[in-house]
Amino acid sequence: MSVMAAGAFEPSDRPAVLLVEDEFETAQEISLALEREGYAVRIADSLQQVSDAIRIHMPAVMIIDRMLHGTDSIAMIEAWREEGNRVPVLVVSALSSIDDRIRGLRAGGDDYLVKPFAIDELVARVEVLRRRANDSRVSLLRVGPLAMDLIERSVHRGDRKLELLPREFNLLEYFMRHPNQTITRAMLLTDVWHFRTLPQTNVVDVHIGKLRRKVDGPGEIPMIETVRATGFILHGDR
């Protein structure tokens, strides 16, 4: 069992994980746990090492400590998403407030885990992110005039392409997997934002508002409906 430090991933059939963590003992504990589950792990402890690593070989999943040598990694994640990097990212952080979590997720993080955490939970979350990414490579979703290509991460309504941010894409994907069903805010906070406890926040409504303006264009039949005091529905049969 080996844990790779700076440098390229060695050729391997094992799924690759890039672990960005500058606390040595924490990095070793996480790496060993992931190695036991069959992952090939590379450790980076600086933003430069991260850039070098993903230029050489794109991992299946990235685990990123939010604070590296006092530097907030959020800007780095935002830059990746703007460049089109869609590799699933698990943000780990000692910052535990709701605002901190929301900022990490809005920046493009797919999940957010607060330190200290159980290693088994981190491994399970990595597996969920990897499985979700693998599923997306073989899936094409269609609901009414909406078509979502989960390989290219593109969405069209008829001939019109929707320009979606990463969180908007994930949100619409959830709706398209549950068409014509009432989706509650609690379901979205749990399944899309991955909160274990439900915060008092309007983050869902804010994102739904932005998504609705992109999905339901001028003159088009509205597809996203707000169900008062309950949640939302994506209609596919209007």
Side-chain angles (χ1 to χ4, degrees):
M1 182 167 57
S2 63
V3 178
M4 289 168 277
F9 281 107
E10 297 172 356
S12 174
D13 292 332
R14 297 178 296 163
V17 174
L18 177 60
L19 172 60
V20 187
E21 172 61 68
D22 58 6
E23 293 181 4
F24 179 80
E25 292 183 359
T26 300
Q28 292 299 309
E29 184 179 10
I30 293 172
S31 298
L32 292 173
L34 289 170
E35 286 276 330
R36 284 194 293 269
E37 296 299 321
Y39 292 94
V41 181
R42 181 188 183 281
I43 301 172
D45 63 6
S46 70
L47 301 187
Q48 184 58 54
Q49 285 187 5
V50 174
S51 298
D52 293 342
I54 63 177
R55 185 174 60 252
I56 295 170
H57 181 87
M58 193 65 69
V61 177
M62 290 187 275
I63 304 170
I64 301 175
D65 190 331
R66 178 163 172 176
M67 303 302 295
L68 293 174
H69 303 300
T71 301
D72 197 330
S73 303
I74 291 299
M76 177 175 61
I77 298 173
E78 289 175 330
W80 288 341
R81 296 316 190 206
E82 290 174 0
E83 293 168 359
N85 185 327
R86 304 303 182 196
V87 173
V89 172
L90 170 61
V91 180
V92 295
S93 176
L95 303 176
S96 60
S97 74
I98 295 301
D99 287 344
D100 287 320
R101 297 185 190 189
I102 290 173
R103 185 170 177 231
L105 295 169
R106 280 180 171 171
D110 297 278
D111 200 355
Y112 193 104
L113 187 59
V114 176
K115 293 181 177 183
F117 48 77
I119 291 296
D120 288 346
E121 180 179 0
L122 179 142
V123 173
R125 288 177 181 240
V126 168
E127 179 58 31
V128 168
L129 291 177
R130 186 176 72 89
R131 185 168 62 245
R132 185 185 304 157
N134 287 341
D135 289 345
S136 74
R137 297 190 185 104
V138 296
S139 297
L140 179 66
L141 302 180
R142 293 187 181 276
V143 176
L146 286 176
M148 174 178 281
D149 188 323
L150 294 171
I151 300 173
E152 297 181 355
R153 290 187 69 86
S154 63
V155 184
H156 288 78
R157 176 166 179 165
D159 295 330
R160 180 170 64 87
K161 184 176 182 180
L162 278 58
E163 300 295 339
L164 302 181
L165 297 174
R167 185 61 59 190
E168 295 166 350
F169 185 96
N170 294 341
L171 186 58
L172 183 58
E173 177 185 349
Y174 189 85
F175 276 108
M176 292 182 71
R177 292 185 184 276
H178 305 84
N180 304 307
Q181 300 178 31
T182 299
I183 306 299
T184 67
R185 290 172 178 81
M187 292 168 64
L188 295 172
L189 287 170
T190 300
D191 297 338
V192 178
W193 274 265
H194 307 297
F195 284 117
R196 286 175 290 174
T197 58
L198 299 183
Q200 296 296 320
T201 174
N202 67 342
V203 65
V204 170
D205 295 84
V206 169
H207 278 76
I208 291 291
K210 294 179 180 178
L211 180 63
R212 193 198 310 268
R213 288 190 289 274
K214 295 181 179 182
V215 171
D216 297 331
E220 294 177 335
I221 298 174
M223 295 186 67
I224 299 177
E225 176 190 1
T226 299
V227 182
R228 186 175 181 182
T230 304
F232 312 90
I233 299 176
L234 176 68
H235 292 281
D237 52 5
R238 283 185 166 181

